[in-house]
Structures are given as C-alpha cells and as structure tokens.
Amino acid sequence: MSDITLKERLLNALEGKQVDKVPVCSVTQTGIVELMDEVGAPWPEAHSDPEQMAKLAIANYERSGLEAVRVPYCLTVLAEAMGCEVNMGTKNRQPSVTAHPYPKDLEGMKMPENLIDMGRIQAVLDAIKIIRERVGPDVPIIGGMEGPVTLASDLSSVKSFMKWSLKKPELFEQVLDFATEATIAYANSMVLAGADVISIADPVASPDLMSPDSFKNVLQPRLQNFSSNVDSVTVLHICGNVNPILNYMADCGFEGLSVEEKIGSIKKAKEILGERARLVGNISSPFTLLPGPVDKIKSEAKQAIADGVDVLAPGCGIAPMTPVSHIKAMVEARDEYYS
C-alpha cells in the first residue's frame, strides 16, 4: 500500500474503501495570513488573481502537509457571478454578499447565458489548472463552493428566503431549483478544469436556520440532484449541530459529509451514516486549531481517528489567523497515530 498516491488515498477514503491511513486535508477554506505573507499572495487579491489564488492554496499543502490543495477561499464566487454584490473583505476577513438580485420576488430571474465567463469563475478555473500543473497528477485538488441552499438565500436574501419557505413555497422552490442548476454547472466546470473532489458548504441548510422537516422535504431533493449530476466525488459541509438532519444528509448522495465539533460523538454519527457516506472532520477551527496549543490539537486529532473519522479535517473553514504550526500539528498527529 505504500506506493498509494495522496489522490488515491483521499478518493478511496471518501468512497469507503480500505486505506492504509486516514487522509488529512481541509475540504473547507485554507487561506491563512502567515502563508499570505510568506508567498506574497494576500487576500483580497488572491480571491481574483488565479496566480495568487493557486500560490496561496499550494502553500498550505507544501508548508503544513495537508494532503490536498483546496480553492477558492470564500462562498461568494457563484453568487457574485449571478448578480449578488460582494464585499471582497480584507486580508483576514473573507468576502461576503452585501446585496441580492431578487429580494422581493423572482421577476426577471434568468440564468446568465455565459455563466462560466461571469465574475471570478474563470479565475477559479484558471487557478485549478495552475495548481494541477504545479503539483502534478497525484495530489488531489478540492474545488470548494457555496451549496444550492446558500446560493438561493444569497440570490433572494436570507430574510426573504426564510419568509418564502413558510409563506410562499412556490417562490422558495423556484429559487432553489434555479440555484441548484447553477451550482451543478459551476461544479462541473471545476471538474473539467481538474478538480478531483467538489466540496460544497451549505451553511443556510443548517438546523440553526432551516427546520429538519424543511431539510428532508425540500432541501434534500435539491442536494440529491446536485450530487447525482456532478461528475466527481462530492462532499457536503453543513455548519452547526447537524445531528437533527444527519440521517437526511446521509441520503443526499454525497460521498463525504463534513461536520463541525458541535455534533459531539463521532462514533454515534458514524452509526447513523452506516455505509451511506463517510465522515469528514471535525477538529474545531475556532476553538482548537486557531488557539492551540499543539498538544490539544494532537490529542483531539488522535481521538477523532480513534473514534472512526474517515478523513481528518478542520470542522469548518480554517480561521485566517491560524498559525501554520497548528495545521501541521494535525498532520503530525495523524502520522504519530499510525507510527
């Protein structure tokens, strides 16, 4: 098994096949300030410039030992391409959506004919191609993006989205279908560019915002539609305590489910998933990886492996002020576990 590539190991782990050891990577954002300074690829420039985007992503793989390269660094690329206004953030704050194209109704909502040429989409695709050229064929590339539920809420505003879910189900379902179609197109363009895994983060699908019933009846079919129409291995990340919807998440057709530390027991989560999906996570980004110390990171990482996590990863996007040494500690913990 020793000649297995990083890409083979990650794909095997996500598909539930035997691996020699649990892969360690991040399916969520990986840009950190220490690396921005080190390689000269700071935010917000690295969100739009393919060369800087690629350089910053590769730096985390090379310096910390994470076993995949993941781009981009936000959940606004598709939203912006589809008409949302975006604040590009700062060196240590991610971009965010500030205005929405359809806040009152869906009047005039239509798919841009050349969606893949809009906004920063080409920058992401070019970055993926640059990464592939530099890391070679054996290192997995993870393409990250906002999920259909989050995109739908960005197009309509969270407020309207929530309101429609209760009072105007036809608008709610219409904007979800529209968003799902767009996410599939964008995801497949990343796969064509060279991404091996598509990881969607769908924070608005969290039980913190949407009821479990709503998830099961309305959101789950859209997520199933996404996973079955994207030509790669897929991972679904939903923030918060997802225990009330974990069983439904497992039926969404994604190979991997990325969860935060808030789920509590990995063992219990694994029992719920059974053979339906693999568990990715769940070392706390804000409470463990960011503050440390290294000993705590290592003991939590080893515990997660012992409890059966399939891919060791941060529970959510890596906080930009996290030191490289703390990410390295997660990788070292995995190596020590198997030594």
Side-chain angles (χ1 to χ4, degrees), residues 70-92:
R70 201 260 191 206
V71 281
Y73 310 102
C74 70
L75 297 177
T76 63
V77 174
L78 192 51
E80 184 186 41
M82 295 179 74
C84 293
E85 278 174 37
V86 169
N87 174 324
M88 292 306 291
T90 62
K91 188 170 174 181
N92 62 6

Side-chain angles (χ1 to χ4, degrees), residues 110-275:
K110 68 178 208 302
M111 196 66 69
E113 273 171 39
N114 50 345
L115 177 64
I116 302 309
D117 298 322
M118 307 293 279
R120 286 173 283 142
I121 289 181
Q122 280 301 331
V124 175
L125 302 182
D126 289 344
I128 290 172
K129 290 171 187 163
I130 294 168
I131 292 164
R132 177 58 72 213
E133 207 170 283
R134 291 195 190 153
V135 301
D138 297 337
V139 177
I141 298 174
I142 300 173
M145 57 183 284
E146 59 269 51
V149 184
T150 300
L151 177 61
S153 77
D154 282 335
L155 294 171
S156 56
S157 81
V158 170
K159 195 175 152 197
S160 298
F161 188 68
M162 296 299 166
K163 203 166 76 186
W164 296 350
S165 75
L166 301 168
K167 302 219 165 83
K168 298 187 175 170
E170 65 295 336
L171 286 182
F172 182 61
E173 301 218 9
Q174 200 183 333
V175 74
L176 275 169
D177 286 335
F178 182 68
T180 304
E181 188 189 335
T183 52
I184 291 168
Y186 176 40
N188 281 325
S189 75
M190 283 199 272
V191 176
L192 279 175
D196 302 293
V197 176
I198 296 295
S199 170
I200 66 170
D202 225 347
V204 179
S206 169
D208 298 344
L209 291 168
M210 304 296 294
S211 74
D213 279 350
S214 209
F215 187 93
K216 181 178 192 288
N217 298 323
V218 190
L219 308 183
Q220 187 192 56
R222 273 74 188 183
L223 290 164
Q224 287 166 334
N225 183 5
F226 178 91
S227 66
S228 56
N229 284 291
V230 172
D231 307 323
S232 73
V233 166
T234 52
V235 175
L236 171 62
H237 174 83
I238 298 180
C239 306
N241 176 359
V242 295
N243 284 325
I245 58 169
L246 199 52
N247 186 36
Y248 306 143
M249 285 171 69
D251 282 333
C252 286
F254 291 75
E255 279 81 7
L257 299 180
S258 162
V259 295
E260 291 186 1
E261 70 286 353
K262 292 178 183 148
I263 66 151
S265 166
I266 288 177
K267 285 188 178 137
K268 209 174 273 169
K270 289 277 296 175
E271 274 168 35
I272 292 166
L273 301 187
E275 300 294 307

Side-chain angles (χ1 to χ4, degrees), residues 275-306:
E275 300 294 307
R276 292 176 294 169
R278 266 55 60 194
L279 202 64
V280 179
N282 66 341
I283 308 307
S284 172
S285 298
F287 302 116
T288 303
L289 284 175
L290 174 63
V294 162
D295 294 349
K296 182 182 182 214
I297 296 168
K298 286 191 172 182
S299 69
E300 288 189 19
K302 289 173 187 173
Q303 191 58 54
I305 299 172

Side-chain angles (χ1 to χ4, degrees), residues 310-328:
D310 297 290
V311 176
L312 182 66
C316 203
I318 299 173
M321 299 309 292
T322 304
V324 175
S325 60
H326 289 185
I327 302 171
K328 229 181 209 158

